[in-house]
Amino acid sequence: DTAVSQTPKYLVTQMGNDKSIKCEQNLGHDTMYWYKQDSKKFLKIMFSYNNKELIINETVPNRFSPKSPDKAHLNLHINSLELGDSAVYFCASRPVTGNGYTFGSGTRLTVV
Amino acid sequence: GENVEQHPSTLSVQEGDSAVIKCTYSDSASNYFPWYKQELGKGPQLIIDIRSNVGEKKDQRIAVTLNKTAKHFSLHITETQPEDSAVYFCAASWSSGNEKLTFGTGTRLTIIP
């Protein structure tokens, strides 16, 4: 009965590889987000989708490509992984009315 | 764009005492100010929020105050307990339909038993 679930929880991969992180929410929310949390705990928005439509793209390298097959899912695909991509990636969702985000538990990506 | 500053970055408080974390924001159009608590290995969890038409909001041991003129808001935790130890984030956004939360840099709160 997890509200926002992300998989995998941990991901260790080599530089140059391509990887995907999946996110699903069962809250019926229309808007979903990807945030990146760096080693200093700073949370920065990457993307936002509203009902499958991209509405925010915060100058993220085009190696990162979000995909929303339906409003309950927002996946993140990363091509040609670099060392600097190592971070914790959080998915979040928000209802149409109200501003409160619900976050997933995060995916810790380590690029070696 | 919005810029949110948060202080202090670390805070140690004796159990039972109060803790105060302060944030300032830059965009006067911002009208929603939530606070999140992040425990180790977990995602941020909303603990309290306030909108710009309210100056103060309280929920049991937690309260948030907002000064729109000065563009700052604060989190107050009273009667602190060990389980309050976590990283706390403030954030700000404005309701445009495409709103995004801009987060502060976080405060690591440690409650000393």
Side-chain angles (χ1 to χ4, degrees):
Chain A
D1 59 350
T2 305
V4 179
S5 59
Q6 298 178 226
T7 54
K9 188 169 177 64
Y10 300 97
L11 183 54
V12 181
T13 187
Q14 289 188 325
M15 280 176 54
N17 283 351
D18 303 337
K19 291 293 178 185
S20 292
I21 306 171
K22 295 186 176 182
C23 179
E24 176 182 5
Q25 54 95 3
N26 61 6
L27 298 166
H29 292 172
D30 286 279
T31 306
M32 296 185 71
Y33 305 83
W34 278 110
Y35 274 79
K36 179 180 180 180
Q37 186 171 48
D38 62 22
S39 58
K40 295 184 178 179
K41 295 289 190 182
F42 186 59
L43 278 161
K44 185 171 171 56
I45 190 168
M46 299 174 68
F47 300 103
S48 173
Y49 269 72
N50 183 275
N51 202 10
K52 303 192 296 177
E53 180 182 349
L54 178 67
I55 55 174
I56 296 175
N57 181 339
E58 286 286 309
T59 59
V60 177
N62 57 17
R63 297 183 296 104
F64 291 78
S65 52
K67 285 197 170 48
S68 182
D70 56 63
K71 75 172 194 176
H73 296 82
L74 180 61
N75 304 322
L76 184 65
H77 188 76
I78 315 170
N79 290 328
S80 304
L81 277 155
E82 300 176 357
L83 293 176
D85 296 332
S86 295
V88 181
Y89 292 84
F90 285 101
C91 177
S93 69
R94 179 181 63 82
V96 172
T97 56
N99 300 78
Y101 285 30
T102 301
F103 280 86
S105 56
T107 295
R108 181 175 293 277
L109 171 66
T110 304
V111 182
V112 297
Chain B
E2 176 64 277
N3 182 49
V4 179
E5 294 189 358
Q6 183 173 346
H7 300 279
S9 57
T10 60
L11 179 61
S12 294
V13 172
Q14 207 71 33
E15 182 178 353
D17 288 351
S18 296
V20 180
I21 303 170
K22 298 182 179 182
C23 288
T24 60
Y25 61 99
S26 60
D27 190 345
S28 56
S30 289
N31 59 6
Y32 175 68
F33 308 94
W35 286 88
Y36 285 82
K37 175 184 181 182
Q38 186 177 22
E39 296 175 318
L40 195 62
K42 297 184 179 180
Q45 182 179 15
L46 179 68
I47 55 172
I48 195 167
D49 57 11
I50 192 168
R51 297 183 189 278
S52 59
N53 58 346
V54 176
E56 184 174 358
K57 184 176 177 180
K58 192 173 181 181
D59 182 4
Q60 298 183 343
R61 296 186 297 108
I62 294 172
V64 57
T65 59
L66 170 65
N67 184 326
K68 280 171 49 181
T69 305
K71 289 191 281 189
H72 66 69
F73 57 113
S74 300
L75 177 71
H76 304 253
I77 306 174
T78 58
E79 301 172 25
T80 52
Q81 301 168 1
E83 53 265 36
D84 294 330
S85 294
V87 179
Y88 291 81
F89 292 94
C90 62
S93 75
W94 58 285
S95 298
S96 67
N98 294 337
E99 59 251 53
K100 63 177 183 181
L101 281 178
T102 299
F103 284 85
T105 48
T107 296
R108 184 175 298 279
L109 175 62
T110 303
I111 306 303
I112 304 166

